[in-house]
Amino acid sequence: MLDIKRIKEDPEKVKAGLRAKEVNCDQEVDRILALDKERRDIIFATEQMKAEQNKVSKTIPQLKKAGEDTAPVFQRMGELKSQIAANDETLRTVEAEYRTLMLSLPNLPDEDLKPGGKENNEPLRYFGEPHKFDFPPKHHVDLCTDLGFIDYTRGVKLAGSGFWMYTGLGARLEWALLNYFIDTHLADGYEFILPPHMLEYQCGETAGQFPKFADEVYKIQNPTDDRTHYMLPTAEAALASIYRDEILAEADLPKKFFAYTPCFRREAGSARAEERGMVRGHQFNKVEMFQFTRPEDSDDAFDELVTKAENLVKGLGFHFRTVKLAAGDCSASMARTYDIEIQIPSMQGYKEVSSVSNARDYQARRGNIRFRREATGKPEFLHTLNGSGLATSRIFPAMVEQNQLKDGSVKVPEVLQKYLGGLEVISKK
């Protein structure tokens, strides 16, 4: 949620920032300002009437003692009571619309981002060289099928299109990736979290996914009461709400977490031939990094998360690039995002495997997450950051395609071998 002070101080700058994100919210911003004024006017008028009500009520004993008629006073008290009740009802309506509009505004992009969409994304650096083969390489679907890593047919039979099932050494290889990520984050001093996979609505609201994207998640209606949960699309949705409505001690910051979860997305699988297989699906595994920091520390925290994601990909031996996203390619909740993109040979281009983002105080305002500044004793909104560390649904196909050998076998990355009993090459049985 944006700071209303920021909107009031320079509404045209806010509008321009949102347009840079390819979102025109001019009317919403104007309406928010009008509602804010109306809300403050109603509150002021109500306070004046309550003050009059208190003042008038104090005259009643004096009038009675003097034997004067108190009927006009009681009539005025009734009028004030009715008007206050009407104002309260109007205020509830105004504040409901105000809150809905405030929640609908995306985060403002950092000023150094280029405006526009992905066509203005900026590659910052490259690592390694693109993979080259001296034989016709296979697609990861064929490799995974031939080597018994994944049963696509039975995955669809169990859950429908957009799902797959890991089998045998494929399941172990997937788990080896997750163990590699987890061990690395533990070594870096991050705390391991295993959150619930079903979340309350307010988690999505705090993360910035709701109300705008409420129809893009899997919902579960409780048959015994009126509660509705949703399956988390990413662990960020859970981690962002850990300290919702709490005030942390400044000395306890930063808070550094990572979480393993399956992620559930309603997005339709791509119909393009090069994205067949597990590149785009409804369920995939991911380890997510998350930080709560002081505002002045969030830029350093962002750089730390980017470096951690890059090092994970380096450890697997992949060629990759780090890309600074243009304002319009950042998600609605984020002020800046860097993507780590690797090459999947069959797709003839780069695909994002990690997205590192800084939400600034946007999520903290939505979830009322603050810390108490030691120097002043006053609470302030903190900053939240997240990054994939990593998602496996694109790492896995890149790994088997880039590490394939001429005979159809696949080399196991050195960092994963210890999780597979020292296995170096996986061949067809």
Side-chain angles (χ1 to χ4, degrees), residues 376-394:
T376 64
K378 296 180 179 180
E380 298 178 25
F381 289 107
L382 43 69
H383 281 199
T384 58
L385 305 94
N386 72 86
S388 315
L390 300 163
T392 62
S393 56
R394 290 180 180 173

Side-chain angles (χ1 to χ4, degrees), residues 144-325:
C144 289
T145 301
D146 293 344
L147 295 172
F149 289 167
I150 296 177
D151 192 329
Y152 294 99
T153 302
R154 291 186 174 89
V156 171
K157 181 169 72 174
L158 292 179
S161 177
F163 294 88
W164 55 86
M165 181 174 71
Y166 295 97
T167 57
L169 280 173
R172 291 181 62 192
L173 196 55
E174 172 80 355
W175 213 247
L177 280 169
L178 296 170
N179 276 318
Y180 163 55
F181 303 154
I182 289 169
D183 286 351
T184 302
H185 298 321
L186 288 173
D188 290 341
Y190 282 59
E191 183 178 347
F192 193 6
I193 300 290
L194 287 174
H197 298 168
M198 294 193 306
L199 303 177
E200 299 276 7
Y201 179 91
Q202 197 169 354
C203 290
E205 186 177 274
T206 296
Q209 296 158 345
F210 300 164
K212 186 173 182 180
F213 303 108
D215 292 332
E216 297 182 12
V217 297
Y218 286 105
K219 298 179 182 178
I220 299 177
Q221 182 66 49
N222 192 325
T224 60
D225 57 39
D226 60 355
R227 291 183 303 159
T228 299
H229 288 84
Y230 71 96
M231 303 300 293
L232 56 73
T234 170
E236 174 201 345
L239 297 176
S241 277
I242 288 179
Y243 296 116
R244 191 174 66 228
D245 295 321
E246 295 185 34
I247 301 177
L248 305 182
E250 183 178 6
D252 292 337
L253 297 176
K255 293 284 191 179
K256 300 181 179 183
F257 299 122
F258 74 93
Y260 158 70
T261 65
C263 303
F264 303 90
R265 305 277 177 89
R266 285 187 61 189
E267 64 177 348
S270 172
R272 290 183 291 175
E274 71 270 19
E275 290 196 345
R276 68 191 179 100
M278 59 192 298
V279 172
R280 192 180 300 274
H282 299 303
Q283 178 184 329
F284 58 91
N285 292 316
K286 185 168 68 156
V287 174
E288 182 81 0
M289 304 177 287
F290 202 92
Q291 285 201 35
F292 296 90
T293 76
R294 300 184 306 171
E296 61 266 34
D297 299 329
S298 70
D299 286 335
D300 289 340
F302 180 80
D303 292 340
E304 176 186 313
L305 290 174
V306 171
T307 299
K308 279 178 58 62
E310 289 176 334
N311 287 339
L312 286 172
V313 182
K314 285 179 184 178
L316 293 167
F318 292 137
H319 161 66
F320 68 88
R321 68 181 185 182
T322 301
V323 179
K324 179 181 180 180
L325 299 195

Side-chain angles (χ1 to χ4, degrees), residues 68-83:
E68 296 183 20
D69 185 10
T70 59
V73 176
F74 280 106
Q75 181 179 351
R76 179 56 181 161
M77 291 282 287
E79 292 172 354
L80 289 171
K81 182 179 180 180
S82 297
Q83 188 58 54

Side-chain angles (χ1 to χ4, degrees), residues 37-77:
K37 183 180 184 306
E38 185 178 356
R39 180 175 64 90
R40 288 184 289 109
D41 288 345
I42 293 171
I43 292 172
F44 178 78
T46 302
E47 288 175 349
Q48 292 293 101
M49 284 185 282
K50 287 181 178 179
E52 182 184 351
Q53 197 176 43
N54 291 334
K55 183 179 179 180
V56 170
S57 66
K58 291 178 181 179
T59 67
I60 295 175
Q62 299 171 358
L63 293 173
K64 286 183 176 180
K65 187 176 182 180
E68 296 183 20
D69 185 10
T70 59
V73 176
F74 280 106
Q75 181 179 351
R76 179 56 181 161
M77 291 282 287

